Amino acid sequence: MPKLIPKNFYNRPTLQVAQDLLGCFLVRKINGEIVRAMIVETEGYFGYKDKASHASRGKTDRNEPMFWEGGITYVYLVYGMHSLLNIVTEKENYPAAVLIRAVDFNWEEFSSNDKKGNGPGKLTKILEIDRTLNKQKIYNKKNNLWLEESIRDIKKNEIVKTKRVGIDYAGEYRDKPWRFYLADNKNVSKK
DNA sequence: TTCGCGATGGCCT
DNA sequence: GGCCATCGCGAAA
C-alpha cells in the first residue's frame, strides 16, 4: 500500500523537499475516483531576497500561506488563467514553497496531448485544482488532495538541476539551479 | 521544427 | 496601469 507522506517531511529545507518530492505521487479524488500522478518536475522558492519568490516583498494576502508551516497548499492564479500548485515547506513564519511543475500519469486515458501533465498550468487543470484548494493540508486525505511516498528509490544521478522557468527578471537569483526534474522522463515541461 | 503572440485577471506600485 | 512562477495556436521555415 502506498504511504501517505507525513507532516514532518515538509518541515525541512526547501531544496531538499523539492528533490525528495520527485517520484512521489500527487493524489486527487474527483467524484469518488482516485487519480494518481507521479511528480517529475519541481522548483524551489524560499526566503526574502529571492526576487522570483512572491514573498520577496513581504507578506501579502496572496502569499500568506508561504509563511505557514510546511505541508499545506499554496494555489494562485498566473496570467489570469492558470492555477499553479505549490507545497509549503519549512517552519512557520519563514516563507518557502515548492512549485509542482509537471507530473506523469502512467495512464492510457491521459496520453492525449491535452491531458499530459507536462506543465504547471496543465496538471492543475487535469486534476481540477484551483484556488478553492488553497491553504489545505496535504498530509491527510480530508481535502481529496494528498501526497504519497515514491514506490522506488530515486537515485542522485536521475535528478537534473537547472535554472527556474519564467523568472528572467529576478536579477542575481535568475540563474539559481533550483529547478529539479527526472532525467529520463518525457513529461517535463521544458528540455 | 521553432517563433510570436493573444487571452485574461488579480495583484502590487 | 504594468506585470506576470503559462499555454496553445498559426505562420514561417
Side-chain angles (χ1 to χ4, degrees), chain A residues 114-146:
Chain A
D114 62 335
K115 285 202 168 175
K116 282 186 181 149
N118 59 352
K122 289 165 78 173
L123 72 95
T124 53
K125 178 155 194 238
I126 296 164
L127 292 173
E128 300 185 19
I129 293 168
D130 61 23
R131 283 172 298 161
T132 64
L133 287 167
N134 193 21
K135 301 181 182 178
Q136 304 298 315
K137 297 179 171 104
I138 46 151
Y139 46 83
N140 65 44
K141 303 185 180 180
K142 289 179 186 158
N143 301 299
N144 296 324
L145 179 70
W146 66 91

Side-chain angles (χ1 to χ4, degrees), chain A residues 31-45:
Chain A
N31 298 327
E33 288 216 21
I34 287 184
V35 180
R36 278 191 174 76
M38 187 174 73
I39 296 170
V40 299
E41 180 180 352
T42 61
E43 284 179 3
Y45 292 86

Side-chain angles (χ1 to χ4, degrees), chain A residues 174-190:
Chain A
R174 183 184 46 146
D175 297 324
K176 296 283 184 190
W178 293 348
R179 171 175 173 235
F180 309 97
Y181 62 87
L182 292 178
D184 61 351
N185 195 280
K186 297 195 169 87
N187 241 19
V188 299
S189 64
K190 274 186 163 183

